[in-house]
Amino acid sequence: MIRIGITHGDINGTGYEIILKAFESEELLSLCTPVIYGSPKAAIFHRKTLESQTNFIVRNSINEVRDQNVNMINCFGEEELKIEFGSKSEANQAIAKRSLDQALADLRAGNIDALVVLPCTIEGCHSQFGYISQQYNNATALPLLVSDNLCVASATNFIPVAGIPRKITTQLLTDRLASLRSTLQRDFSIESPRIAVLSLNPVDSSGVFAGSEEADVIQPLVQQLFDKGSLCFGPYTSDRIFGQREFEHFDAILAMYSDQASTSFHTLTQGEGHRFLSGLPHVITSPIHDAQLEIAGKDSASPQSFLNALYSAIDCVRRRRQFDSARSNPLQKQFYDRRDDSDKLRLDQVSNDDEPEVSLV
């Protein structure tokens, strides 16, 4: 059974609420073994407040985790954690980090198969993915915004707008597109992904871009990659891709800056997408929202984005295993591809008494 680690996020927010709601039904336990990294006392406080009937089993270590249970690793012992719904607290950022650190340790040790990171404040969400990338010594890990029919990445993240043009270089875009393409192939089972690249600048009425980044960097690189066999297209303006729903013709979109990606994504998905941190050796996802301090303790938080992040983690673990297994024997993979694509090469089945015979059809 696939083991999915889950951190509890900001304990003053809705993290425990959406966990408790998600696991009200035991159906999820047929898909994965959840391992929550948190505080049993904090969880009980939330459960009593929400009058939830969801049960969990407290474990002292990962070795005690069992399938068909909602397992909780006690990261805080008998420590009392102060919970004030809706209150923004630096102390709670440290509490969330302790949960994340223990989960990451088990993930990197192979004790769990994937990790779903519950959110902190908006600032905490941004810093959590940055912190995770640092733990893997991977500054190029690429956060994705994902829904059923939309996948968006950003070439630059959380830098001043004035500094974005200097960051848009051929090397940066090459690295981002390579990471995005690899993720789509391995984690989403898209063999030849179609990627749309957005422009940095708007266009005037004659179709001319207002800046030089498109002509100097973006367009030549897109053409170069296309000539080498990568299905990259662009540059497109964001209003064309999102406003005219042309994103439906692509497997992923590479935006130039974070607001260009997130504003349209949130508008189109209405909060039901999730985040995926690509470019790492392990699968890590997160709900699309922050800690939702404004509705904490009111029993009004939806678990849908968390569930989508959980389902995505499960699916990506399976796809990675299939992808890696199919490529562990290159000759076998080549034979499979040729048979699947054209059926020109077929190995006839023979009995044990006959000599193997290869037939060209």
Side-chain angles (χ1 to χ4, degrees), residues 205-246:
S205 58
S206 65
V208 177
F209 286 103
S212 61
E213 287 78 14
E214 288 73 24
D216 294 344
V217 179
I218 303 173
Q219 194 167 19
L221 175 61
V222 168
Q223 186 64 53
Q224 178 186 356
L225 293 174
F226 183 83
D227 291 343
K228 291 181 178 180
S230 294
L231 299 182
C232 294
F233 305 88
Y236 301 104
T237 57
S238 57
D239 63 328
R240 175 179 173 181
I241 287 294
F242 298 118
Q244 300 179 34
R245 298 189 68 85
E246 290 197 11

Side-chain angles (χ1 to χ4, degrees), residues 95-114:
I95 289 171
K97 181 177 176 294
R98 286 168 63 181
S99 166
L100 178 59
D101 282 340
Q102 189 159 344
L104 283 174
D106 277 338
L107 181 64
R108 298 174 74 177
N111 295 323
I112 54 178
D113 299 302

Side-chain angles (χ1 to χ4, degrees), residues 279-335:
L280 297 180
H282 299 109
V283 174
I284 300 177
T285 67
S286 175
I288 198 67
H289 53 74
D290 62 11
Q292 301 176 307
L293 296 177
E294 67 280 2
I295 61 171
K298 299 179 180 179
D299 198 19
S300 58
S302 169
Q304 192 57 56
S305 182
F306 167 72
L307 287 169
N308 291 340
L310 182 70
Y311 296 144
S312 177
I314 295 169
D315 288 342
C316 287
V317 168
R318 290 173 175 164
R319 290 169 186 153
R320 279 194 180 189
R321 290 174 178 175
Q322 293 170 354
F323 183 93
D324 295 344
S325 175
R327 285 155 179 76
S328 62
N329 186 334
L331 182 59
Q332 181 180 359
K333 179 63 168 59
Q334 182 185 42
F335 170 76

Side-chain angles (χ1 to χ4, degrees), residues 145-156:
L145 303 176
V146 183
S147 71
D148 288 341
N149 64 347
L150 182 58
C151 175
V152 188
S154 177
T156 62

Side-chain angles (χ1 to χ4, degrees), residues 33-342:
T33 299
V35 183
I36 303 165
Y37 291 82
S39 162
K41 291 184 177 182
I44 291 172
F45 181 89
H46 281 259
R47 188 172 66 178
K48 287 181 177 179
T49 301
L50 301 168
E51 298 181 351
S52 171
Q53 301 301 311
T54 302
N55 293 316
F56 53 86
I57 309 298
V58 178
R59 311 295 189 185
N60 292 315
S61 74
I62 193 67
N63 297 325
E64 299 177 2
V65 167
R66 297 292 180 268
D67 295 339
Q68 301 300 319
N69 287 289
V70 181
N71 302 272
M72 175 173 287
I73 302 291
N74 185 357
C75 301
F76 299 91
E78 295 301 317
E79 184 178 346
E80 296 285 349
L81 302 182
K82 185 178 181 180
I83 299 174
E84 295 179 343
F85 288 125
S87 176
K88 192 173 181 179
S89 165
E90 290 187 9
N92 283 353
Q93 301 301 310
I95 289 171
K97 181 177 176 294
R98 286 168 63 181
S99 166
L100 178 59
D101 282 340
Q102 189 159 344
L104 283 174
D106 277 338
L107 181 64
R108 298 174 74 177
N111 295 323
I112 54 178
D113 299 302
L115 179 61
V116 180
V117 180
L118 268 290
C120 299
T121 60
I122 293 177
E123 299 86 354
C125 288
H126 299 336
S127 64
Q128 275 190 131
F129 269 15
Y131 177 75
I132 291 169
S133 300
Q134 291 174 6
Q135 299 310 296
Y136 282 94
N137 295 317
N138 188 342
T140 61
L142 185 63
L144 309 181
L145 303 176
V146 183
S147 71
D148 288 341
N149 64 347
L150 182 58
C151 175
V152 188
S154 177
T156 62
N157 286 289
F158 314 117
I159 63 175
V161 173
I164 293 173
R166 294 192 299 273
K167 292 289 186 179
I168 304 301
T169 64
T170 298
Q171 187 61 57
L172 175 73
L173 296 185
T174 299
D175 292 343
R176 292 289 193 256
L177 286 166
S179 176
L180 182 55
R181 187 171 187 272
S182 176
T183 294
L184 292 170
Q185 291 174 325
R186 188 179 182 213
D187 296 331
F188 294 89
S189 296
I190 303 172
E191 189 68 29
S192 299
R194 294 169 55 88
I195 301 173
V197 181
L198 298 189
S199 63
L200 174 64
N201 300 289
V203 296
D204 61 21
S205 58
S206 65
V208 177
F209 286 103
S212 61
E213 287 78 14
E214 288 73 24
D216 294 344
V217 179
I218 303 173
Q219 194 167 19
L221 175 61
V222 168
Q223 186 64 53
Q224 178 186 356
L225 293 174
F226 183 83
D227 291 343
K228 291 181 178 180
S230 294
L231 299 182
C232 294
F233 305 88
Y236 301 104
T237 57
S238 57
D239 63 328
R240 175 179 173 181
I241 287 294
F242 298 118
Q244 300 179 34
R245 298 189 68 85
E246 290 197 11
F247 66 83
E248 294 176 347
H249 302 298
F250 299 95
D251 299 302
I253 313 297
L254 180 67
M256 292 297 106
Y257 54 94
S258 54
D259 278 4
Q260 188 183 42
S262 62
T263 301
S264 298
F265 182 86
H266 284 289
T267 301
L268 291 166
T269 62
Q270 295 296 304
E272 293 196 353
H274 66 277
R275 292 185 175 91
F276 182 96
L277 189 55
S278 71
L280 297 180
H282 299 109
V283 174
I284 300 177
T285 67
S286 175
I288 198 67
H289 53 74
D290 62 11
Q292 301 176 307
L293 296 177
E294 67 280 2
I295 61 171
K298 299 179 180 179
D299 198 19
S300 58
S302 169
Q304 192 57 56
S305 182
F306 167 72
L307 287 169
N308 291 340
L310 182 70
Y311 296 144
S312 177
I314 295 169
D315 288 342
C316 287
V317 168
R318 290 173 175 164
R319 290 169 186 153
R320 279 194 180 189
R321 290 174 178 175
Q322 293 170 354
F323 183 93
D324 295 344
S325 175
R327 285 155 179 76
S328 62
N329 186 334
L331 182 59
Q332 181 180 359
K333 179 63 168 59
Q334 182 185 42
F335 170 76
Y336 173 82
D337 281 347
R338 291 186 64 184
R339 180 184 177 189
D340 186 61
D341 290 342
S342 63

